[in-house]
Amino acid sequence: MTLQGIGLWLALVSPAVMAAPVQAQREGVLGTSFEMQVEGDGARGARAVDAALDEIIRLERELSTWNDDSALSRYNDGRLPADRLPDAVVDVLTQCERWRVETDGAFSCRLGGLIAQWRQADADDRLPERAALRRQARALSALPAPAKGVLDPAAGLRFDVDGIAKGYILDRALARARRIAPKASGIRIDIGGDAVYWGHPEGRDAWRVEVADPKRPIDNQPGIAQVQLASQAVAASGHHSRGYVIGRRHLSHILDPQDGWPLSYAPAATVIAADAATADALATALTVMPIRDGIALVDRIEGAAALLVSDAGIPFASARWPAALAKDEGAPPLSAPAVLIDYEIPAIDADRYRKPYLAVWIEHEDGRAVRQLHVLGDRSRWLSELPRWWRHYGRNDPAGALGIARPTRAPGRYTLAWDGRDDRGHPMPAGRYVLRVEAAREHGGHEDIALPFPLGGTTSPLRHQGQAEIGRLLLRYDKT
C-alpha cells in the first residue's frame, strides 16, 4: 500500500473511530470562567452544553446571596417561608447542616451575616471588632437547626452557601447534560478550577488533570501534581487568590466559624471525591481544620482523597491521594516493600520527668527532606527544641507543624510505617535514604539519630540503640 493510500484510509476511518469532542468556553459564569467538553456524542454535544448552562443559570438565581431577589436571599430576609423554598435550596441547606456536624463545625453555611460585615469592613477600609464577631460566631454555632416557617432575621442567622454551592451546581449541570447526551462517553465541566469529570475521553481510560500550586496560582504554570479521574470531581480551596484588603493587610475570605475572623497561616486543599458537592465542602473544611484532623476526615469518607499544602508550601497527602496520581511510563515504581519503624521512648527515672517531644522523618543522603512521618508534641515553643526537624518543617511553618503534631507519649515501644513515597505522594526510586529520629525533653536532654538504609534490593533489618532520649530503634521491611 502506498503512503497516499494509507493517508486516505486514515482519513476515512478516523471519524468513525474517534469523533471530535464538542468543546465550549464562557466567561462570567458564576462570576468566573466556564469550560465544558462532551466526548462521543457529537450530534447532541452542543445541546448538552446549552442545557448545562441553563441549569447553572437557574440554580444561581435560587442560591446566590449576591442577588437580593434569589430564593436564598429572600429566605435570609424573612420574605420567603421554608415550605416555599425551591428543592435545590432545601437540598443545599440540608447538606450544609450535615457537613457542619460531620466536620464538628469547621464547615458552616451559617456565616452570611458575618461575611456581610467583612464585606462592609473591606469597603470602609476598617477592621471590625474582633470580640463582637467572636460572640456572634459562637452564638450562631449554638443555634438549633432552623425549623419550618420564616427565618427570623433578628436572630442573626443568614445562610451563605458559597462553600458548597458551586459543587452542587456542577453535579446538577452534569446530570442535565447526561440526560441530553446519553451516548456520550465522557463529559467534563469546569467552573473556575472546580470541576466534575464523568466517564472518560475518547481513546483514554481517564481524564488527566493538573493540580495547581496554591502558592503560585499562575495560569499555564506547571502544577504540583497531575491526577487521573474517571467519574469523579475535584475542588480546591485556599487563602491567597481572594480575600479582604484593609489598610495594608490582606485577609483570607475564609472565616473561622468559631471565631468569625479570617484564618491566618492556614493550609490550601485540593480534594477528589465521587461528586462535586462533597469535594467542594471538604476542600472548604480542610482549610479550617488542623491538617492532621483534616487528613483523618478525608480518609474516613469513601472515595475521597486530598492534598493539603501548608502556608509555607509543605505538602501533606491523604491515604488515597497516591492512587489518584497520573501514571507516567517514565515514573519510578515503588521499589520496595513498606518500611516499618519500631522506636522506643525509654523510661527515665527523673524527679522532673516530662514526656519528650519527638519527630521521625526520611531524608535523602544529602540531607534534603523526603517525607515527614511522625511528630509528637503540640506546642510550637518546644517543637523548636528539635532543631534538625524544625529546620526542615517547622521554622517557616509553625502553624503547619502544629497541625500535624500529636500529643506526647508515655515511655513505651511504638511502630509506624513509610510507604516509600515523598510528602506529595510520589513514589521514590530505589537508592539510599536516611531515617532521622530526633527527641528532646524539658529538664532533660536532646538526641538526634541518623540511620542510613537502602530502598530496593536488600531487605535485612537494621538496628540502632539510642543513648539518652531515644531507646531501641529497628527498621524493617514489610514483605506482605
Side-chain angles (χ1 to χ4, degrees), residues 19-20 22 38 40-48 180-181 183:
V22 173
V38 181
D41 195 352
R44 299 189 180 186
R47 289 175 54 196
I180 299 299
K183 295 182 180 179

Side-chain angles (χ1 to χ4, degrees), residues 23 58 112 127 131 153 180-181 191 227 237 256 343 367 382 386 389 409 467:
Q23 300 188 62
R58 183 183 72 83
L127 285 172
I180 299 299
I191 303 177
V227 296
S237 185
D256 182 344
Y343 69 92
W382 300 113
L386 304 173
W389 171 83
R409 287 179 169 175
Q467 301 300 316

Side-chain angles (χ1 to χ4, degrees), residues 218-230:
I218 302 172
D219 290 343
N220 300 321
Q221 181 78 10
I224 58 173
Q226 190 178 79
V227 296
Q228 51 189 26
L229 306 178

